Amino acid sequence: QKEVEQNSGPLSVPEGAIASLNCTYSDRGSQSFFWYRQYSGKSPELIMFIYSNGDKEDGRFTAQLNKASQYVSLLIRDSQPSDSATYLCAVRPYSGAGSYQLTFGKGTKLSVIP
Amino acid sequence: ETGVTQTPRHLVMGMTNKKSLKCEQHLGHNAMYWYKQSAKKPLELMFVYNFKEQTENNSVPSRFSPECPNSSHLFLHLHTLQPEDSALYLCASSPIGQQGPSTTYGYTFGSGTRLTVV
């Protein structure tokens, strides 16, 4: 059973601080990792994608991947109240039938306090 | 229009009604998905279609009946629903192709249908 684990939160950070969201996964063969943002009552939107060990930066967002530790994280610098949302971690397995399907974590709710 | 379009955006139905949710994607994707998201709960995968063939039914009650006439359209037919079926129903699509890890095979979600069963 492939599992993706996230702390449900809520994670509260002050405006301007760095928010750190974490995700672990059970399938060691997983190859692609995604972060989605979901505002309350809205659909998830893809904000980051990473597949190589290390860091990937896009604006205020940095995704970090450590395949040896089966760990992926999302850092949000200079957090804004508009970043308040639930962040979903998703993992794509290595290969084989169904490898296009993603396994989603339950999400971490982030609250940025003005 | 591009992306994934879901209709209707909101639906209120009685327990004896029959209604259908529609999803249409213009992204050239070959996999489509139905998810259920109840209030303050995680995404629950319901059905998966790959090239319009159902590849997964995640133990969904028979009062939910999916239909995928082609790779661009997906329906969810609803009948004799229960109040606990009230939720946000999300459609998503993704490409299926060469499995290189560097390719962004993330899902694109529709805006969802907010369903209320009374």
Side-chain angles (χ1 to χ4, degrees):
Chain A
Q1 179 92 7
K2 300 181 177 65
E3 294 183 349
V4 177
E5 300 287 341
Q6 294 182 256
N7 188 323
S8 61
L11 173 66
S12 294
V13 299
E15 184 175 355
I18 296 175
S20 179
L21 304 160
N22 303 316
C23 172
T24 59
Y25 57 95
S26 62
D27 184 358
R28 184 169 291 277
S30 299
Q31 60 173 339
S32 306
F33 307 86
F34 305 82
W35 283 100
Y36 284 82
R37 178 177 62 200
Q38 186 177 24
Y39 292 113
S40 181
K42 304 295 185 183
S43 62
E45 59 175 322
L46 181 65
I47 56 172
M48 288 293 285
F49 158 69
I50 188 168
Y51 64 94
S52 295
N53 277 326
D55 295 359
K56 178 180 179 181
E57 187 175 320
D58 183 0
R60 294 186 297 112
F61 298 99
T62 299
Q64 298 176 317
L65 176 61
N66 184 327
K67 291 185 178 180
S69 299
Q70 296 175 237
Y71 175 92
V72 58
S73 65
L74 179 70
L75 301 178
I76 306 175
R77 291 181 301 281
D78 189 24
S79 296
Q80 301 298 309
S82 58
D83 295 324
S84 298
T86 296
Y87 289 81
L88 303 171
C89 174
V91 175
R92 183 163 77 95
Y94 177 63
S95 63
S99 63
Y100 53 90
Q101 287 184 230
L102 302 184
T103 299
F104 285 86
K106 294 184 177 181
T108 297
K109 186 173 182 179
L110 172 67
S111 180
V112 180
I113 311 301
Chain B
E1 187 176 344
T2 59
V4 180
T5 303
Q6 286 188 246
T7 55
R9 294 294 300 274
H10 300 274
L11 177 62
V12 179
M13 61 185 287
M15 289 189 285
T16 58
N17 291 160
K18 289 184 180 181
K19 296 287 184 182
S20 295
L21 310 185
K22 179 182 177 182
C23 177
E24 184 174 0
Q25 59 96 2
H26 302 275
L27 300 169
H29 292 169
N30 293 312
M32 298 187 77
Y33 313 81
W34 279 118
Y35 280 87
K36 173 185 177 183
Q37 190 173 40
S38 303
K40 299 183 180 180
K41 290 190 176 181
L43 291 170
E44 297 176 51
L45 179 63
M46 300 176 73
F47 302 104
V48 180
Y49 278 83
N50 176 351
F51 286 98
K52 74 178 182 179
E53 297 295 325
Q54 186 175 313
T55 59
E56 187 158 341
N57 175 340
N58 215 24
S59 302
V60 180
S62 59
R63 57 186 183 269
F64 295 92
S65 175
E67 178 189 1
C68 189
N70 55 60
S71 294
S72 299
H73 294 85
L74 185 65
F75 296 89
L76 187 63
H77 304 299
L78 315 171
H79 64 99
T80 60
L81 294 191
Q82 304 299 312
E84 60 264 29
D85 296 323
S86 298
L88 179 67
Y89 288 84
L90 291 163
C91 173
S93 71
S94 74
I96 300 172
Q98 293 193 350
Q99 300 299 314
S102 62
T103 305
T104 308
Y105 280 111
Y107 292 179
T108 301
F109 285 88
S111 299
T113 295
R114 174 69 62 188
L115 173 67
T116 303
V117 181
V118 298

